[in-house]
Amino acid sequence: MIHASDKRAQGLQYTPELIKDFDELFSATDWRSTVTQSRIVFSNFPVPRSASMQKAWHSVGNAWKPEFIGEDAEWGENELLPFLDLWSKNLDVRGEMFDLNMNLHLDSVAIDRDGDVFALLTEDNDGFPKVQKIGAHRVGDRVGSGGKAESGPFQGRAIRNGVIKNNFGRTLAYQILGDTADEDRIVDANDCIMLNDPDWHDQGRGVPAFAAVIPELRKAKTSEEWELMAQLVNSAHSLVEYNETGTADFTSDVANQGVGDDGLNVQSLSGGMIRYFKANSGAKLEAINSARPSDSWDVFQDRVQRLACTCVSWGYELTWKPEGLNSVSVRSVQDKARHAVARRQVVLRRGLMRQAEWAVTIGIKNGYLAAPTNAQDWDKFTFSLPPQMTIDPRHDSKTEMEDFKIGRKNMTQLLKRDGKTLVPHIKERLWEIVQRKLLKQEYELKYGVEIDDREIMMLTPNEMAEHEEIETPVKSNDNEE
């Protein structure tokens, strides 16, 4: 054995040869099975589901508002931004409920759960740009189709799990499956966008994030069901009576419920039972004591749940049990979550910018907005991000204030953490100042009282009114003549 990872190492199972292209290693059958089980995990395991949902919430939030960054500010303010705002509210063919924020949130969840999701670029009857989201299961192959495109510009090219590539691995088209084979269609990749977060260079389709832990989760779920069954059994048996016969004594108060001669009211417990066991000598009555589930079982279940959260790069402590964290570990968990959110935002932004840039071109073409005077400005826009997640906002605020004071960070950087941008922030502050001054003048004239600006808003103690200086009498020196 040359290396410790030799596939015939003693004590290990035989490892097949895996030096192949990813799409050959991970066949369409493997992909369908993995996505099916991942959807079961997402629907039946609260902790992994919550981890995926939380990452989506922090990645999307209530942000992603269009912002113009070009030269022709008038065109951006009056044409581009109003159009993008309208498109953000009406981009989905399903209606206004599925606006931009809802779509981005569902896109993030789908990437974790299914591995990928598709956005088909289309138009409505009035020529307004629309997007139709295609679920991962709607892009694929028909069993027995031969694995090649039978007609059209891609005729003869291989279809691997719904993806058609050229000889260099570039995606050319996708096969979208209808309800029947006759309704299947091949769509050019320029008109359909795949959103995924790949792990391999030659990966054709996305892989569910939970794929690495699906077997452990399903076994843990089975174990949990058995433990629940044990709890039901224990709950069903309330007392154990040991007697000489091993059967119920039908003359006892327990067997004959009601009010006995001694005035004792005997009733059965709802859902409970009494089990009788024959004793060799003596008789006694015992309550059922159960120590299940054990602490070791609970710890092992937590371990599996932690692995599932790791698969989506999310802290187990953020989702389920935060016990045992100190100030250092809290910031470590926060930093990892921030990196996961930033990575997901990169993936979402990549797909969104393609959709939005296409929408602007269609909007200009069909007269929904005027063309820019500066031809370079048509794609000079971006989208705002939500506030950066924080576990200790007071600590972060103090750190940012110190960074700003020493010039390590500027106001633009600080505002980005809060999901804001500089120009709207300054405009908002100026508007507040104007309103404060106008209201001050109005109330001074109305009540004839002079109002000091510092009485309305005082930012620091240095802005407090100066105290009148009081003359201090000078002591006389008796020795002076």
Side-chain angles (χ1 to χ4, degrees), residues 130-151:
K130 293 280 188 176
V131 174
Q132 180 182 359
K133 289 302 172 72
I134 308 295
H137 63 284
R138 283 291 185 176
V139 176
D141 305 338
R142 286 285 177 186
V143 178
S145 62
K148 291 186 178 182
E150 299 178 354
S151 61

mmCIF file with all atom_site columns, all heavy atoms in Angstrom, residues 130-151:
data_model
loop_
_atom_site.group_PDB
_atom_site.id
_atom_site.type_symbol
_atom_site.label_atom_id
_atom_site.label_alt_id
_atom_site.label_comp_id
_atom_site.label_asym_id
_atom_site.label_entity_id
_atom_site.label_seq_id
_atom_site.pdbx_PDB_ins_code
_atom_site.Cartn_x
_atom_site.Cartn_y
_atom_site.Cartn_z
_atom_site.occupancy
_atom_site.B_iso_or_equiv
_atom_site.pdbx_formal_charge
_atom_site.auth_seq_id
_atom_site.auth_comp_id
_atom_site.auth_asym_id
_atom_site.auth_atom_id
_atom_site.pdbx_PDB_model_num
ATOM 1   N N   . LYS A 1 130 ? -41.367 39.443 -18.262 1.00 0.00 ? 130 LYS A N   1
ATOM 2   C CA  . LYS A 1 130 ? -41.789 38.593 -17.158 1.00 0.00 ? 130 LYS A CA  1
ATOM 3   C C   . LYS A 1 130 ? -40.785 37.458 -16.962 1.00 0.00 ? 130 LYS A C   1
ATOM 4   O O   . LYS A 1 130 ? -39.955 37.163 -17.822 1.00 0.00 ? 130 LYS A O   1
ATOM 5   C CB  . LYS A 1 130 ? -43.171 37.991 -17.435 1.00 0.00 ? 130 LYS A CB  1
ATOM 6   C CG  . LYS A 1 130 ? -44.310 38.997 -17.460 1.00 0.00 ? 130 LYS A CG  1
ATOM 7   C CD  . LYS A 1 130 ? -44.751 39.358 -16.061 1.00 0.00 ? 130 LYS A CD  1
ATOM 8   C CE  . LYS A 1 130 ? -46.001 40.203 -16.067 1.00 0.00 ? 130 LYS A CE  1
ATOM 9   N NZ  . LYS A 1 130 ? -46.489 40.489 -14.690 1.00 0.00 ? 130 LYS A NZ  1
ATOM 10  N N   . VAL A 1 131 ? -40.887 36.806 -15.812 1.00 0.00 ? 131 VAL A N   1
ATOM 11  C CA  . VAL A 1 131 ? -40.038 35.660 -15.485 1.00 0.00 ? 131 VAL A CA  1
ATOM 12  C C   . VAL A 1 131 ? -40.932 34.521 -15.027 1.00 0.00 ? 131 VAL A C   1
ATOM 13  O O   . VAL A 1 131 ? -41.858 34.724 -14.242 1.00 0.00 ? 131 VAL A O   1
ATOM 14  C CB  . VAL A 1 131 ? -39.025 36.015 -14.373 1.00 0.00 ? 131 VAL A CB  1
ATOM 15  C CG1 . VAL A 1 131 ? -38.248 34.775 -13.951 1.00 0.00 ? 131 VAL A CG1 1
ATOM 16  C CG2 . VAL A 1 131 ? -38.071 37.104 -14.841 1.00 0.00 ? 131 VAL A CG2 1
ATOM 17  N N   . GLN A 1 132 ? -40.663 33.324 -15.521 1.00 0.00 ? 132 GLN A N   1
ATOM 18  C CA  . GLN A 1 132 ? -41.372 32.125 -15.082 1.00 0.00 ? 132 GLN A CA  1
ATOM 19  C C   . GLN A 1 132 ? -40.372 31.208 -14.395 1.00 0.00 ? 132 GLN A C   1
ATOM 20  O O   . GLN A 1 132 ? -39.399 30.751 -15.006 1.00 0.00 ? 132 GLN A O   1
ATOM 21  C CB  . GLN A 1 132 ? -42.023 31.397 -16.260 1.00 0.00 ? 132 GLN A CB  1
ATOM 22  C CG  . GLN A 1 132 ? -42.780 30.135 -15.846 1.00 0.00 ? 132 GLN A CG  1
ATOM 23  C CD  . GLN A 1 132 ? -43.377 29.400 -17.031 1.00 0.00 ? 132 GLN A CD  1
ATOM 24  O OE1 . GLN A 1 132 ? -43.251 29.831 -18.178 1.00 0.00 ? 132 GLN A OE1 1
ATOM 25  N NE2 . GLN A 1 132 ? -44.030 28.270 -16.765 1.00 0.00 ? 132 GLN A NE2 1
ATOM 26  N N   . LYS A 1 133 ? -40.590 30.940 -13.111 1.00 0.00 ? 133 LYS A N   1
ATOM 27  C CA  . LYS A 1 133 ? -39.671 30.067 -12.382 1.00 0.00 ? 133 LYS A CA  1
ATOM 28  C C   . LYS A 1 133 ? -40.000 28.605 -12.680 1.00 0.00 ? 133 LYS A C   1
ATOM 29  O O   . LYS A 1 133 ? -41.156 28.187 -12.632 1.00 0.00 ? 133 LYS A O   1
ATOM 30  C CB  . LYS A 1 133 ? -39.748 30.346 -10.880 1.00 0.00 ? 133 LYS A CB  1
ATOM 31  C CG  . LYS A 1 133 ? -39.123 31.687 -10.495 1.00 0.00 ? 133 LYS A CG  1
ATOM 32  C CD  . LYS A 1 133 ? -37.665 31.761 -10.909 1.00 0.00 ? 133 LYS A CD  1
ATOM 33  C CE  . LYS A 1 133 ? -37.043 33.118 -10.743 1.00 0.00 ? 133 LYS A CE  1
ATOM 34  N NZ  . LYS A 1 133 ? -36.821 33.484 -9.338  1.00 0.00 ? 133 LYS A NZ  1
ATOM 35  N N   . ILE A 1 134 ? -38.963 27.837 -12.991 1.00 0.00 ? 134 ILE A N   1
ATOM 36  C CA  . ILE A 1 134 ? -39.088 26.435 -13.338 1.00 0.00 ? 134 ILE A CA  1
ATOM 37  C C   . ILE A 1 134 ? -38.432 25.604 -12.236 1.00 0.00 ? 134 ILE A C   1
ATOM 38  O O   . ILE A 1 134 ? -37.241 25.779 -11.947 1.00 0.00 ? 134 ILE A O   1
ATOM 39  C CB  . ILE A 1 134 ? -38.421 26.119 -14.692 1.00 0.00 ? 134 ILE A CB  1
ATOM 40  C CG1 . ILE A 1 134 ? -38.925 27.077 -15.785 1.00 0.00 ? 134 ILE A CG1 1
ATOM 41  C CG2 . ILE A 1 134 ? -38.657 24.670 -15.080 1.00 0.00 ? 134 ILE A CG2 1
ATOM 42  C CD1 . ILE A 1 134 ? -40.377 26.939 -16.116 1.00 0.00 ? 134 ILE A CD1 1
ATOM 43  N N   . GLY A 1 135 ? -39.196 24.722 -11.603 1.00 0.00 ? 135 GLY A N   1
ATOM 44  C CA  . GLY A 1 135 ? -38.645 23.875 -10.550 1.00 0.00 ? 135 GLY A CA  1
ATOM 45  C C   . GLY A 1 135 ? -37.604 22.910 -11.088 1.00 0.00 ? 135 GLY A C   1
ATOM 46  O O   . GLY A 1 135 ? -37.602 22.563 -12.277 1.00 0.00 ? 135 GLY A O   1
ATOM 47  N N   . ALA A 1 136 ? -36.712 22.453 -10.223 1.00 0.00 ? 136 ALA A N   1
ATOM 48  C CA  . ALA A 1 136 ? -35.619 21.579 -10.646 1.00 0.00 ? 136 ALA A CA  1
ATOM 49  C C   . ALA A 1 136 ? -36.130 20.308 -11.316 1.00 0.00 ? 136 ALA A C   1
ATOM 50  O O   . ALA A 1 136 ? -35.519 19.807 -12.269 1.00 0.00 ? 136 ALA A O   1
ATOM 51  C CB  . ALA A 1 136 ? -34.758 21.223 -9.431  1.00 0.00 ? 136 ALA A CB  1
ATOM 52  N N   . HIS A 1 137 ? -37.261 19.767 -10.846 1.00 0.00 ? 137 HIS A N   1
ATOM 53  C CA  . HIS A 1 137 ? -37.774 18.520 -11.396 1.00 0.00 ? 137 HIS A CA  1
ATOM 54  C C   . HIS A 1 137 ? -38.347 18.694 -12.797 1.00 0.00 ? 137 HIS A C   1
ATOM 55  O O   . HIS A 1 137 ? -38.603 17.704 -13.486 1.00 0.00 ? 137 HIS A O   1
ATOM 56  C CB  . HIS A 1 137 ? -38.863 17.952 -10.476 1.00 0.00 ? 137 HIS A CB  1
ATOM 57  C CG  . HIS A 1 137 ? -40.059 18.847 -10.359 1.00 0.00 ? 137 HIS A CG  1
ATOM 58  N ND1 . HIS A 1 137 ? -40.064 19.985 -9.594  1.00 0.00 ? 137 HIS A ND1 1
ATOM 59  C CD2 . HIS A 1 137 ? -41.295 18.772 -10.927 1.00 0.00 ? 137 HIS A CD2 1
ATOM 60  C CE1 . HIS A 1 137 ? -41.237 20.577 -9.678  1.00 0.00 ? 137 HIS A CE1 1
ATOM 61  N NE2 . HIS A 1 137 ? -42.013 19.869 -10.481 1.00 0.00 ? 137 HIS A NE2 1
ATOM 62  N N   . ARG A 1 138 ? -38.557 19.950 -13.236 1.00 0.00 ? 138 ARG A N   1
ATOM 63  C CA  . ARG A 1 138 ? -39.111 20.205 -14.564 1.00 0.00 ? 138 ARG A CA  1
ATOM 64  C C   . ARG A 1 138 ? -38.028 20.338 -15.631 1.00 0.00 ? 138 ARG A C   1
ATOM 65  O O   . ARG A 1 138 ? -38.333 20.593 -16.802 1.00 0.00 ? 138 ARG A O   1
ATOM 66  C CB  . ARG A 1 138 ? -39.951 21.482 -14.536 1.00 0.00 ? 138 ARG A CB  1
ATOM 67  C CG  . ARG A 1 138 ? -41.320 21.310 -13.915 1.00 0.00 ? 138 ARG A CG  1
ATOM 68  C CD  . ARG A 1 138 ? -42.216 20.459 -14.796 1.00 0.00 ? 138 ARG A CD  1
ATOM 69  N NE  . ARG A 1 138 ? -43.580 20.378 -14.290 1.00 0.00 ? 138 ARG A NE  1
ATOM 70  C CZ  . ARG A 1 138 ? -44.569 19.758 -14.902 1.00 0.00 ? 138 ARG A CZ  1
ATOM 71  N NH1 . ARG A 1 138 ? -44.333 19.149 -16.056 1.00 0.00 ? 138 ARG A NH1 1
ATOM 72  N NH2 . ARG A 1 138 ? -45.776 19.718 -14.377 1.00 0.00 ? 138 ARG A NH2 1
ATOM 73  N N   . VAL A 1 139 ? -36.785 20.194 -15.262 1.00 0.00 ? 139 VAL A N   1
ATOM 74  C CA  . VAL A 1 139 ? -35.682 20.188 -16.223 1.00 0.00 ? 139 VAL A CA  1
ATOM 75  C C   . VAL A 1 139 ? -34.983 18.843 -16.097 1.00 0.00 ? 139 VAL A C   1
ATOM 76  O O   . VAL A 1 139 ? -34.485 18.490 -15.028 1.00 0.00 ? 139 VAL A O   1
ATOM 77  C CB  . VAL A 1 139 ? -34.685 21.339 -15.955 1.00 0.00 ? 139 VAL A CB  1
ATOM 78  C CG1 . VAL A 1 139 ? -33.497 21.247 -16.904 1.00 0.00 ? 139 VAL A CG1 1
ATOM 79  C CG2 . VAL A 1 139 ? -35.381 22.686 -16.097 1.00 0.00 ? 139 VAL A CG2 1
ATOM 80  N N   . GLY A 1 140 ? -34.987 18.065 -17.196 1.00 0.00 ? 140 GLY A N   1
ATOM 81  C CA  . GLY A 1 140 ? -34.392 16.734 -17.110 1.00 0.00 ? 140 GLY A CA  1
ATOM 82  C C   . GLY A 1 140 ? -34.523 15.955 -18.402 1.00 0.00 ? 140 GLY A C   1
ATOM 83  O O   . GLY A 1 140 ? -34.712 16.533 -19.485 1.00 0.00 ? 140 GLY A O   1
ATOM 84  N N   . ASP A 1 141 ? -34.431 14.635 -18.280 1.00 0.00 ? 141 ASP A N   1
ATOM 85  C CA  . ASP A 1 141 ? -34.489 13.738 -19.434 1.00 0.00 ? 141 ASP A CA  1
ATOM 86  C C   . ASP A 1 141 ? -35.741 12.874 -19.353 1.00 0.00 ? 141 ASP A C   1
ATOM 87  O O   . ASP A 1 141 ? -36.264 12.613 -18.274 1.00 0.00 ? 141 ASP A O   1
ATOM 88  C CB  . ASP A 1 141 ? -33.268 12.800 -19.467 1.00 0.00 ? 141 ASP A CB  1
ATOM 89  C CG  . ASP A 1 141 ? -31.956 13.565 -19.441 1.00 0.00 ? 141 ASP A CG  1
ATOM 90  O OD1 . ASP A 1 141 ? -31.970 14.748 -19.817 1.00 0.00 ? 141 ASP A OD1 1
ATOM 91  O OD2 . ASP A 1 141 ? -30.941 12.981 -19.027 1.00 0.00 ? 141 ASP A OD2 1
ATOM 92  N N   . ARG A 1 142 ? -36.181 12.445 -20.517 1.00 0.00 ? 142 ARG A N   1
ATOM 93  C CA  . ARG A 1 142 ? -37.233 11.442 -20.591 1.00 0.00 ? 142 ARG A CA  1
ATOM 94  C C   . ARG A 1 142 ? -36.589 10.059 -20.644 1.00 0.00 ? 142 ARG A C   1
ATOM 95  O O   . ARG A 1 142 ? -35.634 9.841  -21.401 1.00 0.00 ? 142 ARG A O   1
ATOM 96  C CB  . ARG A 1 142 ? -38.085 11.643 -21.849 1.00 0.00 ? 142 ARG A CB  1
ATOM 97  C CG  . ARG A 1 142 ? -39.022 12.824 -21.762 1.00 0.00 ? 142 ARG A CG  1
ATOM 98  C CD  . ARG A 1 142 ? -40.205 12.551 -20.887 1.00 0.00 ? 142 ARG A CD  1
ATOM 99  N NE  . ARG A 1 142 ? -41.052 13.747 -20.764 1.00 0.00 ? 142 ARG A NE  1
ATOM 100 C CZ  . ARG A 1 142 ? -42.100 13.828 -19.961 1.00 0.00 ? 142 ARG A CZ  1
ATOM 101 N NH1 . ARG A 1 142 ? -42.419 12.791 -19.208 1.00 0.00 ? 142 ARG A NH1 1
ATOM 102 N NH2 . ARG A 1 142 ? -42.816 14.928 -19.901 1.00 0.00 ? 142 ARG A NH2 1
ATOM 103 N N   . VAL A 1 143 ? -37.089 9.135  -19.836 1.00 0.00 ? 143 VAL A N   1
ATOM 104 C CA  . VAL A 1 143 ? -36.548 7.787  -19.835 1.00 0.00 ? 143 VAL A CA  1
ATOM 105 C C   . VAL A 1 143 ? -36.781 7.146  -21.200 1.00 0.00 ? 143 VAL A C   1
ATOM 106 O O   . VAL A 1 143 ? -37.884 7.164  -21.731 1.00 0.00 ? 143 VAL A O   1
ATOM 107 C CB  . VAL A 1 143 ? -37.218 6.937  -18.732 1.00 0.00 ? 143 VAL A CB  1
ATOM 108 C CG1 . VAL A 1 143 ? -36.676 5.515  -18.763 1.00 0.00 ? 143 VAL A CG1 1
ATOM 109 C CG2 . VAL A 1 143 ? -36.973 7.558  -17.372 1.00 0.00 ? 143 VAL A CG2 1
ATOM 110 N N   . GLY A 1 144 ? -35.717 6.612  -21.790 1.00 0.00 ? 144 GLY A N   1
ATOM 111 C CA  . GLY A 1 144 ? -35.827 5.947  -23.086 1.00 0.00 ? 144 GLY A CA  1
ATOM 112 C C   . GLY A 1 144 ? -35.755 6.878  -24.277 1.00 0.00 ? 144 GLY A C   1
ATOM 113 O O   . GLY A 1 144 ? -36.001 6.460  -25.405 1.00 0.00 ? 144 GLY A O   1
ATOM 114 N N   . SER A 1 145 ? -35.402 8.170  -24.038 1.00 0.00 ? 145 SER A N   1
ATOM 115 C CA  . SER A 1 145 ? -35.351 9.118  -25.163 1.00 0.00 ? 145 SER A CA  1
ATOM 116 C C   . SER A 1 145 ? -34.062 9.011  -25.954 1.00 0.00 ? 145 SER A C   1
ATOM 117 O O   . SER A 1 145 ? -33.919 9.626  -27.006 1.00 0.00 ? 145 SER A O   1
ATOM 118 C CB  . SER A 1 145 ? -35.498 10.554 -24.622 1.00 0.00 ? 145 SER A CB  1
ATOM 119 O OG  . SER A 1 145 ? -34.412 10.865 -23.751 1.00 0.00 ? 145 SER A OG  1
ATOM 120 N N   . GLY A 1 146 ? -33.098 8.243  -25.468 1.00 0.00 ? 146 GLY A N   1
ATOM 121 C CA  . GLY A 1 146 ? -31.839 8.119  -26.194 1.00 0.00 ? 146 GLY A CA  1
ATOM 122 C C   . GLY A 1 146 ? -30.798 9.102  -25.751 1.00 0.00 ? 146 GLY A C   1
ATOM 123 O O   . GLY A 1 146 ? -29.628 8.987  -26.103 1.00 0.00 ? 146 GLY A O   1
ATOM 124 N N   . GLY A 1 147 ? -31.202 10.106 -24.958 1.00 0.00 ? 147 GLY A N   1
ATOM 125 C CA  . GLY A 1 147 ? -30.233 11.037 -24.399 1.00 0.00 ? 147 GLY A CA  1
ATOM 126 C C   . GLY A 1 147 ? -29.696 12.053 -25.370 1.00 0.00 ? 147 GLY A C   1
ATOM 127 O O   . GLY A 1 147 ? -28.632 12.639 -25.134 1.00 0.00 ? 147 GLY A O   1
ATOM 128 N N   . LYS A 1 148 ? -30.394 12.292 -26.507 1.00 0.00 ? 148 LYS A N   1
ATOM 129 C CA  . LYS A 1 148 ? -29.943 13.287 -27.473 1.00 0.00 ? 148 LYS A CA  1
ATOM 130 C C   . LYS A 1 148 ? -31.114 14.118 -27.974 1.00 0.00 ? 148 LYS A C   1
ATOM 131 O O   . LYS A 1 148 ? -32.260 13.649 -27.996 1.00 0.00 ? 148 LYS A O   1
ATOM 132 C CB  . LYS A 1 148 ? -29.258 12.609 -28.662 1.00 0.00 ? 148 LYS A CB  1
ATOM 133 C CG  . LYS A 1 148 ? -27.924 11.962 -28.333 1.00 0.00 ? 148 LYS A CG  1
ATOM 134 C CD  . LYS A 1 148 ? -27.244 11.434 -29.583 1.00 0.00 ? 148 LYS A CD  1
ATOM 135 C CE  . LYS A 1 148 ? -25.880 10.833 -29.245 1.00 0.00 ? 148 LYS A CE  1
ATOM 136 N NZ  . LYS A 1 148 ? -25.171 10.347 -30.456 1.00 0.00 ? 148 LYS A NZ  1
ATOM 137 N N   . ALA A 1 149 ? -30.809 15.357 -28.344 1.00 0.00 ? 149 ALA A N   1
ATOM 138 C CA  . ALA A 1 149 ? -31.834 16.222 -28.925 1.00 0.00 ? 149 ALA A CA  1
ATOM 139 C C   . ALA A 1 149 ? -32.204 15.685 -30.306 1.00 0.00 ? 149 ALA A C   1
ATOM 140 O O   . ALA A 1 149 ? -31.335 15.415 -31.139 1.00 0.00 ? 149 ALA A O   1
ATOM 141 C CB  . ALA A 1 149 ? -31.321 17.646 -29.024 1.00 0.00 ? 149 ALA A CB  1
ATOM 142 N N   . GLU A 1 150 ? -33.503 15.530 -30.546 1.00 0.00 ? 150 GLU A N   1
ATOM 143 C CA  . GLU A 1 150 ? -33.954 14.898 -31.785 1.00 0.00 ? 150 GLU A CA  1
ATOM 144 C C   . GLU A 1 150 ? -34.207 15.882 -32.910 1.00 0.00 ? 150 GLU A C   1
ATOM 145 O O   . GLU A 1 150 ? -34.296 15.492 -34.072 1.00 0.00 ? 150 GLU A O   1
ATOM 146 C CB  . GLU A 1 150 ? -35.237 14.094 -31.508 1.00 0.00 ? 150 GLU A CB  1
ATOM 147 C CG  . GLU A 1 150 ? -35.037 12.977 -30.493 1.00 0.00 ? 150 GLU A CG  1
ATOM 148 C CD  . GLU A 1 150 ? -36.323 12.229 -30.194 1.00 0.00 ? 150 GLU A CD  1
ATOM 149 O OE1 . GLU A 1 150 ? -37.380 12.670 -30.699 1.00 0.00 ? 150 GLU A OE1 1
ATOM 150 O OE2 . GLU A 1 150 ? -36.283 11.223 -29.460 1.00 0.00 ? 150 GLU A OE2 1
ATOM 151 N N   . SER A 1 151 ? -34.340 17.174 -32.584 1.00 0.00 ? 151 SER A N   1
ATOM 152 C CA  . SER A 1 151 ? -34.604 18.164 -33.636 1.00 0.00 ? 151 SER A CA  1
ATOM 153 C C   . SER A 1 151 ? -34.152 19.529 -33.158 1.00 0.00 ? 151 SER A C   1
ATOM 154 O O   . SER A 1 151 ? -33.729 19.699 -32.013 1.00 0.00 ? 151 SER A O   1
ATOM 155 C CB  . SER A 1 151 ? -36.110 18.182 -33.981 1.00 0.00 ? 151 SER A CB  1
ATOM 156 O OG  . SER A 1 151 ? -36.879 18.542 -32.841 1.00 0.00 ? 151 SER A OG  1
#
